[in-house]
Each structure stands twice: as C-alpha cells, then as structure tokens.
Amino acid sequence: SEWKKSASKSANKIHSRGQFTDIEAAISQSTRTWLSDPDSDRAMHLILLTDGVVDVAKDSVTNAESRDRILNSMLAQLAQSGVKIHTVALSKNADSELLTTLAETTTGWSEQVDDAASLQRAFLHMFEQAASPDSLPLNGKQFEVDSSISEMTLLIFHSPSDEPLQLTSPTGDVFDAGHANGELQWRVENGYELVTVTAPKVGTWQINADPDPDNRVLIITDVKLAVTPLPSNFVVNDSLTINARLTERG
C-alpha cells in the first residue's frame, strides 16, 4: 500500500510540457544502472512510449547524430546486456523505423496505437511480455477456480454503453463495485475494470461482460506451469520447440 501511494504521488509529476523528444537521453537515464551493474539473471525490460521522432535541438544535423548514436552505439550495448526494448508509437508520425528496429534487435515487442483505449491494451501486452503472469482461461463469461489459488485479479475491458460489471461466485453471490472491502478490491477506470479477490471460493465464477480477447483472470498460486519463453517475433512456418513442466511451491 505504501508503494502504491508513492507511485500515485510520483505519477502526478509526469507531464509532457517538454519542447523536445530526447529519446537518447531517456534510454540512457533509464538503463544506466543496468549497464553499470550487469546481471545476466535479471530480466530487464524497457518500455519506450513516444509520439515523435528523435528531436533534441532545432538543428537537423544534431538530431540525426543523436538518432545515429542510438542505432549504432547504444542499441548494440543494450542488446548485448540482455535488455529487451518494447516500443509504443502513439501516432503515425512517430519514427516507426527506429522503434521497430529497437524492438526487433532486442527481441522486444512493438505496437502502434491511435487512441487511449488501444494504449491500455498495448500496455497489457507489454506487461505480459515482461512479467509472464499466471492466469486462468476465460471460457466465454466463466472460469474455474481451484484450491491452489490464493488471489485472483480480473481485468475486464468494456465500453461506456455496457452494463456495470458484475461478478458471480460459485455459491451464487453477486458482487459489483459497491461491494468493495478488505477481501474484494474494485477499481473502475475509463475503458476497463480491475477486480481483486482474496481467497476466492473454489468452483465456477461468472462475469456479465461480453467476451474480449484482452480480458484476463490473473492469479497468485502455488501451482504453476513453467514454459520455455517464446520469442516476441518469429517467421511464419518457423518450428518452435517448447518445454513445459508443472511445479508446486517451486
């Protein structure tokens, strides 16, 4: 809870009043501790979100030199250190060639979005690339919970015209945003809702929302399916070898 308070307070200080888009400085500042203290066992993911091009001065030559340093100096060092760069282009005017090269060279993920709703989904995809969260399969509007699950968080996307989200437990109890308490946390945002249930009852749970490919049921559990990491990008018809194993408490 203290981390959330600190993060919310810090987020209010973020703004876009800057006159330039210094992508080189942003990457350098974000990765400085990774490069000075490399750790091959640490997962390092950098998410670069921009609506522009490399723009550090009014002089086009200076801008070109900065872009060149990113591609021909910084990128090789980041890739060699194991940093994965995921990029989000916020407009069609962004330097898509630069962003795609940064992502593909470091086996990261690259997306372009045109509105705020798409941005939320893009960040979900980036988060899954970086954190590989455990989740349950959603079968239409329902999902199964077993005794190994200690907590679950539902991420449900919706449009303003949809009915308020409701969650029905295996015993038939119906919950909505008005039922939030210590064991049920409910956050309503523009375009999606986030519901966390501690010690969920075993059985079939249901939601009243229409199916959406980006809806998720993320879980905390002692039983996990450990799978070989899949590449972010690969060629059509490539053959991938996947190893998987079930673990319990590690």
Side-chain angles (χ1 to χ4, degrees):
S1 59
E2 290 301 315
W3 186 92
K4 288 182 179 180
K5 291 178 183 177
S6 176
S8 295
K9 186 177 180 180
S10 298
N12 290 329
K13 299 178 182 178
I14 298 174
H15 61 80
S16 57
R17 297 189 294 271
Q19 298 300 308
F20 297 103
T21 305
D22 195 342
I23 295 176
E24 180 185 5
I27 295 176
S28 177
Q29 288 293 319
S30 301
T31 61
R32 65 188 186 280
T33 56
W34 292 347
L35 299 182
S36 62
D37 181 26
D39 182 353
S40 59
D41 294 328
R42 177 174 56 190
M44 296 172 288
H45 296 266
L46 174 67
I47 298 177
L48 175 61
L49 174 74
T50 181
D51 64 352
V53 299
V54 176
D55 176 25
V56 299
K58 295 181 179 180
D59 176 16
S60 60
V61 174
T62 303
N63 294 332
E65 290 174 345
S66 177
R67 187 180 188 274
D68 184 71
R69 284 193 297 271
I70 294 172
L71 289 173
N72 298 316
S73 177
M74 297 181 68
L75 182 54
Q77 188 178 12
L78 292 168
Q80 186 175 6
S81 298
V83 177
K84 293 181 183 294
I85 304 177
H86 311 286
T87 62
V88 184
L90 278 175
S91 83
K92 296 178 181 178
N93 296 323
D95 189 341
S96 58
E97 181 183 356
L98 171 66
L99 299 182
T100 300
T101 301
L102 290 173
E104 290 185 351
T105 303
T106 61
T107 64
W109 185 276
S110 181
E111 286 199 33
Q112 178 185 309
V113 300
D114 298 315
D115 52 52
S118 300
L119 181 60
Q120 295 165 349
R121 295 171 186 266
F123 269 114
L124 168 64
H125 303 156
M126 303 275 175
F127 166 68
E128 291 180 323
Q129 288 287 323
S132 301
D134 297 308
S135 62
L136 294 176
L138 256 171
N139 182 17
K141 297 184 178 182
Q142 65 184 35
F143 57 94
E144 299 291 330
V145 171
D146 62 36
S147 60
S148 73
I149 298 170
S150 58
E151 183 180 283
M152 67 181 186
T153 297
L154 283 77
L155 172 61
I156 306 297
F157 288 93
H158 60 77
S159 65
S161 60
D162 291 342
E163 295 181 0
L165 178 63
Q166 290 184 333
L167 179 63
T168 304
S169 75
T171 56
D173 297 318
V174 180
F175 303 100
D176 57 27
H179 290 86
N181 54 41
E183 296 182 351
L184 179 66
Q185 301 176 44
W186 204 296
R187 188 179 182 93
V188 180
E189 296 288 350
N190 184 23
Y192 69 92
E193 297 190 34
L194 206 60
V195 185
T196 299
V197 182
T198 303
K201 288 184 171 61
V202 174
T204 303
W205 289 74
Q206 294 187 348
I207 56 176
N208 66 330
D210 290 333
D212 187 293
D214 286 329
N215 284 347
R216 298 288 188 271
V217 182
L218 308 177
I219 57 173
I220 296 177
T221 175
D222 290 330
V223 178
K224 299 178 182 294
L225 179 64
V227 182
T228 305
L230 293 174
S232 300
N233 303 285
F234 50 89
V235 179
V236 174
N237 295 326
D238 267 4
S239 178
L240 300 178
T241 300
I242 302 173
N243 294 316
R245 65 183 186 276
L246 284 169
T247 67
E248 183 172 10
R249 293 184 175 86

Short mmCIF file of all heavy atoms in Angstrom, two decimals, residues 34-35 38-40 42-46 75-85 106-107:
data_model
loop_
_atom_site.label_atom_id
_atom_site.label_comp_id
_atom_site.label_asym_id
_atom_site.label_seq_id
_atom_site.Cartn_x
_atom_site.Cartn_y
_atom_site.Cartn_z
N TRP A 34 21.54 -0.60 -15.14
CA TRP A 34 21.63 -1.94 -15.74
C TRP A 34 22.98 -2.13 -16.40
O TRP A 34 23.61 -3.18 -16.27
CB TRP A 34 20.52 -2.14 -16.78
CG TRP A 34 19.14 -2.20 -16.21
CD1 TRP A 34 18.80 -2.35 -14.89
CD2 TRP A 34 17.92 -2.12 -16.93
NE1 TRP A 34 17.44 -2.35 -14.76
CE2 TRP A 34 16.87 -2.22 -15.99
CE3 TRP A 34 17.61 -1.96 -18.28
CZ2 TRP A 34 15.53 -2.17 -16.35
CZ3 TRP A 34 16.27 -1.92 -18.65
CH2 TRP A 34 15.24 -2.02 -17.69
N LEU A 35 23.43 -1.13 -17.12
CA LEU A 35 24.67 -1.26 -17.87
C LEU A 35 25.90 -1.14 -16.97
O LEU A 35 26.94 -1.74 -17.25
CB LEU A 35 24.73 -0.19 -18.97
CG LEU A 35 23.61 -0.26 -20.02
CD1 LEU A 35 23.79 0.81 -21.07
CD2 LEU A 35 23.55 -1.64 -20.67
N PRO A 38 25.77 -5.05 -14.64
CA PRO A 38 25.06 -6.09 -15.41
C PRO A 38 24.79 -7.34 -14.56
O PRO A 38 25.57 -7.72 -13.71
CB PRO A 38 26.04 -6.41 -16.56
CG PRO A 38 27.38 -5.99 -16.04
CD PRO A 38 27.13 -4.81 -15.15
N ASP A 39 23.63 -7.95 -14.81
CA ASP A 39 23.23 -9.16 -14.10
C ASP A 39 22.52 -10.05 -15.10
O ASP A 39 21.39 -9.77 -15.50
CB ASP A 39 22.32 -8.81 -12.92
CG ASP A 39 21.90 -10.03 -12.12
OD1 ASP A 39 22.22 -11.16 -12.53
OD2 ASP A 39 21.27 -9.87 -11.06
N SER A 40 23.16 -11.12 -15.51
CA SER A 40 22.61 -11.98 -16.56
C SER A 40 21.33 -12.69 -16.12
O SER A 40 20.56 -13.15 -16.96
CB SER A 40 23.66 -13.02 -16.98
OG SER A 40 24.03 -13.83 -15.86
N ARG A 42 18.95 -11.27 -14.31
CA ARG A 42 17.89 -10.29 -14.07
C ARG A 42 17.17 -9.98 -15.37
O ARG A 42 17.80 -9.70 -16.39
CB ARG A 42 18.50 -9.01 -13.47
CG ARG A 42 17.48 -7.89 -13.23
CD ARG A 42 18.14 -6.73 -12.50
NE ARG A 42 19.32 -6.23 -13.20
CZ ARG A 42 20.17 -5.36 -12.69
NH1 ARG A 42 20.00 -4.93 -11.46
NH2 ARG A 42 21.22 -4.94 -13.40
N ALA A 43 15.86 -9.99 -15.33
CA ALA A 43 15.07 -9.62 -16.51
C ALA A 43 15.01 -8.11 -16.60
O ALA A 43 14.60 -7.44 -15.66
CB ALA A 43 13.67 -10.21 -16.42
N MET A 44 15.44 -7.55 -17.74
CA MET A 44 15.48 -6.10 -17.91
C MET A 44 14.61 -5.71 -19.10
O MET A 44 14.92 -6.04 -20.24
CB MET A 44 16.93 -5.64 -18.10
CG MET A 44 17.82 -5.90 -16.90
SD MET A 44 19.58 -5.56 -17.20
CE MET A 44 20.01 -6.94 -18.26
N HIS A 45 13.51 -5.03 -18.81
CA HIS A 45 12.57 -4.64 -19.85
C HIS A 45 12.39 -3.13 -19.83
O HIS A 45 12.06 -2.55 -18.79
CB HIS A 45 11.21 -5.31 -19.63
CG HIS A 45 11.25 -6.80 -19.76
ND1 HIS A 45 10.97 -7.47 -20.93
CD2 HIS A 45 11.55 -7.76 -18.85
CE1 HIS A 45 11.09 -8.76 -20.74
NE2 HIS A 45 11.44 -8.98 -19.49
N LEU A 46 12.60 -2.49 -20.97
CA LEU A 46 12.43 -1.06 -21.12
C LEU A 46 11.25 -0.80 -22.05
O LEU A 46 11.22 -1.32 -23.17
CB LEU A 46 13.70 -0.43 -21.71
CG LEU A 46 13.62 1.05 -22.07
CD1 LEU A 46 13.46 1.90 -20.83
CD2 LEU A 46 14.85 1.48 -22.86
N LEU A 75 22.26 0.77 -29.02
CA LEU A 75 21.45 -0.42 -29.27
C LEU A 75 22.26 -1.70 -29.12
O LEU A 75 21.81 -2.66 -28.50
CB LEU A 75 20.82 -0.34 -30.66
CG LEU A 75 19.90 -1.50 -31.05
CD1 LEU A 75 18.81 -1.72 -30.03
CD2 LEU A 75 19.30 -1.25 -32.43
N ALA A 76 23.45 -1.73 -29.68
CA ALA A 76 24.30 -2.93 -29.58
C ALA A 76 24.65 -3.24 -28.13
O ALA A 76 24.64 -4.40 -27.70
CB ALA A 76 25.56 -2.74 -30.40
N GLN A 77 24.94 -2.20 -27.35
CA GLN A 77 25.29 -2.40 -25.95
C GLN A 77 24.10 -2.91 -25.14
O GLN A 77 24.24 -3.80 -24.30
CB GLN A 77 25.79 -1.07 -25.35
CG GLN A 77 26.36 -1.19 -23.95
CD GLN A 77 26.87 0.14 -23.42
OE1 GLN A 77 26.60 1.19 -24.00
NE2 GLN A 77 27.59 0.09 -22.31
N LEU A 78 22.93 -2.37 -25.42
CA LEU A 78 21.73 -2.80 -24.71
C LEU A 78 21.39 -4.25 -25.05
O LEU A 78 21.07 -5.05 -24.17
CB LEU A 78 20.56 -1.89 -25.07
CG LEU A 78 20.66 -0.45 -24.55
CD1 LEU A 78 19.61 0.43 -25.22
CD2 LEU A 78 20.49 -0.41 -23.04
N ALA A 79 21.45 -4.60 -26.33
CA ALA A 79 21.15 -5.96 -26.76
C ALA A 79 22.13 -6.95 -26.16
O ALA A 79 21.75 -8.04 -25.71
CB ALA A 79 21.17 -6.04 -28.28
N GLN A 80 23.41 -6.60 -26.13
CA GLN A 80 24.43 -7.48 -25.58
C GLN A 80 24.23 -7.68 -24.08
O GLN A 80 24.54 -8.74 -23.54
CB GLN A 80 25.81 -6.90 -25.85
CG GLN A 80 26.97 -7.83 -25.44
CD GLN A 80 28.33 -7.26 -25.84
OE1 GLN A 80 28.41 -6.13 -26.32
NE2 GLN A 80 29.37 -8.04 -25.66
N SER A 81 23.69 -6.67 -23.41
CA SER A 81 23.47 -6.76 -21.96
C SER A 81 22.18 -7.49 -21.62
O SER A 81 21.89 -7.72 -20.44
CB SER A 81 23.43 -5.35 -21.35
OG SER A 81 24.67 -4.69 -21.55
N GLY A 82 21.39 -7.85 -22.64
CA GLY A 82 20.16 -8.59 -22.40
C GLY A 82 18.94 -7.74 -22.15
O GLY A 82 17.90 -8.24 -21.71
N VAL A 83 19.03 -6.44 -22.43
CA VAL A 83 17.88 -5.55 -22.25
C VAL A 83 16.89 -5.76 -23.39
O VAL A 83 17.28 -5.77 -24.56
CB VAL A 83 18.32 -4.07 -22.21
CG1 VAL A 83 17.10 -3.16 -22.09
CG2 VAL A 83 19.27 -3.84 -21.05
N LYS A 84 15.62 -5.94 -23.06
CA LYS A 84 14.57 -6.04 -24.07
C LYS A 84 13.85 -4.69 -24.14
O LYS A 84 13.39 -4.18 -23.12
CB LYS A 84 13.57 -7.15 -23.73
CG LYS A 84 14.16 -8.55 -23.81
CD LYS A 84 13.09 -9.58 -23.49
CE LYS A 84 13.64 -11.01 -23.48
NZ LYS A 84 14.08 -11.44 -24.81
N ILE A 85 13.76 -4.12 -25.33
CA ILE A 85 13.09 -2.84 -25.51
C ILE A 85 11.75 -3.06 -26.18
O ILE A 85 11.67 -3.63 -27.28
CB ILE A 85 13.95 -1.88 -26.37
CG1 ILE A 85 15.34 -1.69 -25.74
CG2 ILE A 85 13.24 -0.53 -26.50
CD1 ILE A 85 16.26 -0.80 -26.57
N THR A 106 16.36 -6.25 -30.00
CA THR A 106 16.45 -6.71 -28.61
C THR A 106 15.39 -7.76 -28.29
O THR A 106 15.15 -8.06 -27.12
CB THR A 106 16.30 -5.53 -27.64
OG1 THR A 106 15.02 -4.92 -27.84
CG2 THR A 106 17.40 -4.50 -27.86
N THR A 107 14.75 -8.33 -29.31
CA THR A 107 13.66 -9.32 -29.19
C THR A 107 12.55 -8.80 -28.30
O THR A 107 11.98 -9.53 -27.48
CB THR A 107 14.16 -10.69 -28.66
OG1 THR A 107 14.68 -10.53 -27.33
CG2 THR A 107 15.25 -11.25 -29.56
#
